[in-house]
Amino acid sequence: MTPPRRQPARRRTTALATVPVAVAALLGAAGPAAPGGTGGSGAGDPYFPLSGNGGYHVRHYGLTLRYDTGSRRLDATAELTARATERLTRFDLDLKGLTVTAVTVDHRAAAFRRDGQELVVTPRRALRAGQRFRVGVAYHGTPKPVTDPDGSADGWIPTDDGAFVAGEPQGAMTWFPVNGHPKDKASYDFTITVPQGRTAVANGVLLGRRTAHGRTTFRWRETRPMAAYLATATIGRFRVERYTTRDGIQVYNAVDAREARAAAPVLKRLPAVLEWESRLFGPYPFRAAGAIVDHAPDVGYALETQTRPLYDSAPTLGTLVHESAHQWFGDSVSLTAWKDIWLNEGFATYAEWLYAEQHGGDSAQRTFDALYARPASDGLWAYPPGDPGSGARIFGTPVYARGAMALHELRRAVGDRDFFRILRAWAGGHRGGHGTTAQFVRLAEEKSGKRLDGLFHTWLYTPGKPNTA
């Protein structure tokens, strides 16, 4: 996510992949256990207590969507392949504002009811702990975005020619039934049918497209584990560019004609940006890359949708660097709790500093110094980035800028050699999985041989302006 551009909203600023063994136990506990084998109606995150669900882990989503851009009606089916992590007599899925017509569990009709944003499913037979099962959901309606605690919208956001689909932090539930917390990552297949002349862009690799009877169907597949908020199904009138980089990455760019002229010189830099980031952070973690550049003036932000960042308008080079860096930090290595959002945004912001430093711009030290010169009353110091305190604050300036400052202080403390070893080890060791701030601190101490808990306590958890003396 790019930093805020105005307040209060943050706007304008399949084959199953292998999951590391260390992460498997985490994924097996998607949320706190509920009494009586009912899973639980949340993943236990205090910032978004209803997001996600307990009792199971989704391994794969198969989404079949048909969207009419005139009526804005969505007709859809979802098939989830999952594994129960405890005995379940019922379980929840997150789904907001759409009408469910049928639910099946292992191809047998299941009872269901709605409870706010929860779709409560009761299979005919209880599911055993460890049992793999399939859930089918048929649904329809007019998807609408959800309003986040900071006053902004995310999810399925209608545009004048389609939809801008960006799900951070909780918008995935506006367009498909989901275990909607980053702890529960899965692979995805998308089959999206739209009126002829529109393009539907999702994550991963385009498997094919077919036009018949005035409609075009696009099939996309993302085999690498993906948090639900990073899924997209953005629809519009796009100019499409496709090519393969010399590293074998399949690039797919979809650009609204109204943004094409401004976007072109920036998107030309994408292969070079990915090569530069790969040298710093390790191999690019996915098979596909690219950009979706929409014309969505009321949205006001970009999002690091996995493999193909989504921009509301033509991005700047800095924004391209930021969202591309998220493919390592945030997408491949994902959060276990929203309070650790600095691991996404601080890292992507510092990537911008590094890019400027190595491409003729200000040094990272000069950028740090300019920020540190702000008075203690400045919003930069309003709250610590390591635990912002609520979901309303996770996209605020402290998370981005002070999070990046914490990384710069780490770099100064351990030196460039160890600092870049730490970044590569973090991205490589947690590739396709999850990480926490505590794990990052331990890794930094291990690679540098230094005690760093004081540094991180000061820059991530201490209220107010830190003392650098």
Side-chain angles (χ1 to χ4, degrees), residues 119-424:
L119 172 62
V120 184
V121 179
T122 304
R124 290 190 180 185
R125 294 181 180 177
L127 301 170
R128 303 183 309 277
Q131 179 180 340
R132 294 191 180 189
F133 62 100
R134 292 180 182 271
V135 183
V137 182
Y139 58 103
H140 64 82
T142 302
K144 298 178 181 178
V146 64
T147 300
D148 293 327
D150 65 357
S152 60
D154 81 273
W156 192 283
I157 304 172
T159 61
D160 61 3
D161 62 355
F164 182 98
V165 183
E168 189 179 27
Q170 55 182 339
M173 66 179 174
T174 66
W175 60 284
F176 67 100
V178 62
N179 195 4
H181 190 278
K183 285 197 293 188
D184 201 57
K185 298 171 74 169
S187 56
Y188 283 73
D189 275 291
F190 306 84
T191 301
I192 311 169
T193 300
V194 293
Q196 187 174 354
R198 302 301 203 276
T199 299
V201 191
N203 311 85
V205 174
L206 179 65
L207 300 182
R209 54 175 290 175
R210 180 177 60 86
T211 299
H213 309 297
R215 290 187 169 270
T216 304
T217 298
F218 296 81
R219 294 188 302 115
W220 295 88
R221 174 171 293 168
E222 172 56 292
T223 60
R224 302 291 175 88
M226 180 166 72
Y229 79 86
L230 298 170
T232 190
T234 293
I235 297 162
R237 296 185 185 273
F238 295 124
R239 296 178 182 177
V240 173
E241 175 189 32
R242 300 179 69 180
Y243 60 89
T244 301
T245 71
R246 59 187 180 185
D247 293 328
I249 301 168
Q250 298 182 45
V251 175
Y252 186 105
N253 294 328
V255 182
D256 188 294
R258 292 166 288 186
E259 303 292 339
R261 183 176 180 180
V266 176
L267 295 185
K268 281 185 178 179
R269 305 290 294 273
L270 178 60
V273 167
L274 294 179
E275 287 184 14
W276 174 79
E277 291 180 334
S278 295
R279 289 195 297 271
L280 261 62
F281 310 141
Y284 181 72
F286 306 113
R287 292 176 56 197
I292 309 169
V293 182
D294 208 345
H295 180 75
D298 294 330
V299 172
Y301 64 93
L303 179 64
E304 61 272 16
T305 44
Q306 188 159 307
T307 70
R308 193 159 293 109
L310 174 60
Y311 304 95
D312 69 321
S313 60
T316 65
L317 181 56
T319 301
L320 185 82
V321 170
H322 182 106
E323 304 303 340
S324 297
H326 273 310
Q327 304 307 303
W328 285 264
F329 306 114
D331 293 13
S332 178
V333 184
S334 297
L335 299 173
T336 57
W338 283 108
K339 70 179 180 62
D340 282 334
I341 186 68
W342 87 277
L343 289 170
N344 293 12
E345 302 302 349
F347 281 52
T349 301
Y350 198 66
E352 293 184 69
W353 297 11
L354 292 171
Y355 189 87
E357 179 177 80
Q358 296 182 22
H359 292 82
D362 286 344
S363 68
Q365 184 62 54
R366 185 171 182 177
T367 303
F368 177 98
D369 290 343
L371 287 167
Y372 190 76
R374 295 184 182 185
S377 59
D378 190 87
L380 173 62
W381 318 114
Y383 49 88
D387 191 354
S390 73
R393 292 176 164 183
I394 61 175
F395 301 115
T397 300
V399 169
Y400 290 75
R402 185 170 164 180
M405 295 175 82
L407 289 174
H408 189 70
E409 284 290 281
L410 171 64
R411 181 183 176 188
R412 292 204 302 184
V414 304
D416 277 12
R417 178 177 175 273
D418 282 345
F419 177 74
F420 289 107
R421 286 177 63 226
I422 291 165
L423 292 189
R424 289 177 66 92

Side-chain angles (χ1 to χ4, degrees), residues 6-50:
R6 62 178 170 85
Q7 295 294 335
R10 62 180 180 275
R11 308 334 194 189
R12 302 312 294 177
T13 13
T14 93
L16 296 177
T18 300
V19 179
V21 173
V23 177
L26 171 66
L27 293 181
T38 59
S41 59
D45 194 306
Y47 285 12
F48 298 95
L50 294 180

Side-chain angles (χ1 to χ4, degrees), residues 76-80 91-93 95 99-114 118-124 133-139 177:
T77 60
E79 183 172 276
L80 288 62
F91 58 89
D92 286 22
L93 290 164
L95 184 66
T99 299
V100 175
T101 56
V103 177
T104 61
V105 176
D106 288 334
H107 308 291
R108 303 181 67 184
F112 64 91
R113 61 181 175 85
R114 306 300 293 274
E118 303 296 318
L119 172 62
V120 184
V121 179
T122 304
R124 290 190 180 185
F133 62 100
R134 292 180 182 271
V135 183
V137 182
Y139 58 103

